[in-house]
Amino acid sequence: MSYEIHNVAVIGSGPAGLTAAIYTARANLNPLCIEGTDAGGQLMTTTEVENFPGFENGIMGPVLMDTMKKQAERFGTKFISGDVAKVDFTRHPFILTVGKNEIITKSVIIATGATARYMGLESELKYRGRGVSACATCDGFFYKDKEVLVIGGGDSAMEEATFLTRFATKVSIVHRRNEFRASAIMQKRALSNPKIAVIWDTVLHEVLGNGTVTGAKLKNVKTNEITTIKCDGIFLAIGHDPNTKPFRGSIEIDDNGYIITKNHTQTSVKGVFAAGDVIDRRYKQAITAAGMGCMAALDAQHYLEEIESK
């Protein structure tokens, strides 16, 4: 059991967490970063990242995260692996339980991110990052003059499909029901696009490929008929799950699992801040997560200055 009292504990090691670590480390706060078992976040399953500023020719997702970690280490960030199992925000300093250890800290930055929902198919996992994606904004550019599928029926699916028509020659929305649950305006925008087709009452049954995606087997939920369709990419648009389970009951969280913040990154508990996809219901980009990580770090720094001056 460690009785060292840390100034800042950053929970998570994606773009938000590592940016927070860099900023707090440069402020001589000697942050501790709890990486989590999925260290590096969603970018660890991404191939080439072309929309993160500063990399003219793009950069591989895992390389970007490793570079950010080394930058944080250079300024004195300490890293430990493992997940936070529970927290005690009722006392100060706060207590975080990681495995058999208790971490004691004056402030906390939660940057645990969100996990994109997948279908759970073995073939889907096999081709993740090789034609299967959960982010059209991230990967759409790679499908110029190609045909793709979008799985889903909500606003996210409509938005992803519409965005992909900027690049793909054809976008087929695969939906398990005979009507969308998306808002009327989003449906109209998608259905009026000549590049978009809809495959109703159907689910993704299997991803086909040879190194990269070459097609898919689709199953009609009413007839159980299996059909094969050619495509170059498959985009999952069935939502995200914020990684907030350890914090439920300790801070305010909305009905969808996102942490509620006020005054920028401050949560309902003073001294506990949140950044990145764990609070972001809309953008879900590496660069916006990094920006929020910077904000949380500065907010934590100001908080520590405030309590130290009392």
Side-chain angles (χ1 to χ4, degrees):
M1 183 177 292
S2 173
Y3 291 99
E4 178 184 0
I5 299 178
H6 299 275
N7 288 314
V8 186
V10 179
I11 308 174
S13 57
L18 291 179
T19 302
I22 291 167
Y23 269 76
T24 51
R26 291 190 75 253
N28 292 324
L29 294 175
N30 303 311
L32 174 71
C33 182
I34 304 166
E35 291 187 277
T37 50
D38 293 325
Q42 293 187 61
L43 283 185
M44 296 300 288
T45 61
T46 302
T47 52
E48 193 166 9
V49 178
E50 292 193 327
N51 57 3
F52 200 93
F55 300 95
E56 179 184 1
N57 299 311
I59 186 170
M60 299 297 284
V63 176
L64 174 60
M65 300 320 300
D66 184 59
T67 302
M68 291 179 73
K69 179 179 179 181
K70 288 177 179 176
Q71 186 176 3
E73 286 178 321
R74 174 189 164 205
F75 294 113
T77 302
K78 295 180 181 178
F79 287 85
I80 63 170
S81 59
D83 292 314
V84 172
K86 64 180 181 178
V87 299
D88 185 352
F89 293 155
T90 63
R91 66 182 75 182
H92 194 270
F94 307 118
I95 299 176
L96 314 176
T97 301
V98 181
K100 296 180 179 179
N101 296 317
E102 287 188 342
I103 307 300
I104 304 173
T105 180
K106 298 176 185 177
S107 65
V108 176
I109 297 174
I110 301 172
T112 46
T115 302
R117 294 177 192 156
Y118 287 87
M119 303 290 292
L121 303 173
E122 185 177 336
S123 56
E124 175 191 54
L125 178 62
K126 178 180 179 181
Y127 288 102
R128 194 179 300 180
R130 295 177 175 82
V132 173
S133 172
C135 182
T137 305
C138 309
D139 300 327
F141 178 80
F142 300 114
Y143 295 90
K144 190 173 182 179
D145 299 326
K146 296 183 179 182
E147 296 187 8
V148 300
L149 303 182
V150 172
I151 313 298
D155 280 354
S156 294
M158 302 302 110
E159 188 174 358
E160 299 270 279
T162 302
F163 177 81
L164 286 165
T165 60
R166 301 183 185 188
F167 311 103
T169 55
K170 182 179 180 181
V171 179
S172 297
I173 301 175
V174 178
H175 186 46
R176 59 182 176 175
R177 299 189 178 95
N178 60 3
E179 61 181 4
F180 291 130
R181 66 182 185 278
S183 60
I185 189 170
M186 294 298 290
Q187 289 191 48
K188 182 178 180 180
R189 190 175 299 165
L191 295 175
S192 63
N193 192 309
K195 286 188 175 183
I196 293 178
V198 182
I199 304 174
W200 301 105
D201 300 314
T202 300
V203 296
L204 177 65
H205 183 69
E206 184 181 355
V207 179
L208 304 176
N210 183 17
T212 58
V213 170
T214 58
K217 287 185 178 181
L218 305 178
K219 180 180 179 180
N220 186 290
V221 296
K222 292 185 174 179
T223 65
N224 290 324
E225 180 184 3
I226 305 291
T227 57
T228 300
I229 185 172
K230 289 181 63 178
C231 65
D232 302 290
I234 300 172
F235 288 83
L236 280 295
I238 54 179
H240 289 75
D241 293 314
N243 301 320
T244 53
K245 186 178 179 181
F247 316 111
R248 292 173 186 173
S250 298
I251 54 175
E252 289 185 9
I253 293 174
D254 70 16
D255 292 340
N256 294 314
Y258 290 94
I259 295 174
I260 298 171
T261 56
K262 54 185 178 180
N263 297 327
H264 307 298
T265 66
Q266 174 69 61
T267 70
S268 57
V269 175
K270 195 168 185 180
V272 179
F273 306 89
D277 287 5
V278 78
I279 65 171
D280 182 7
R281 301 158 185 78
R282 180 177 177 86
Y283 300 104
K284 304 184 190 304
Q285 299 299 302
I287 190 64
T288 53
M292 287 184 234
C294 166
M295 293 164 60
L298 294 175
D299 288 344
Q301 179 184 341
H302 294 152
Y303 165 76
L304 290 169
E305 290 171 352
E306 179 183 314
I307 64 172
E308 292 296 332
S309 65
K310 291 182 178 179

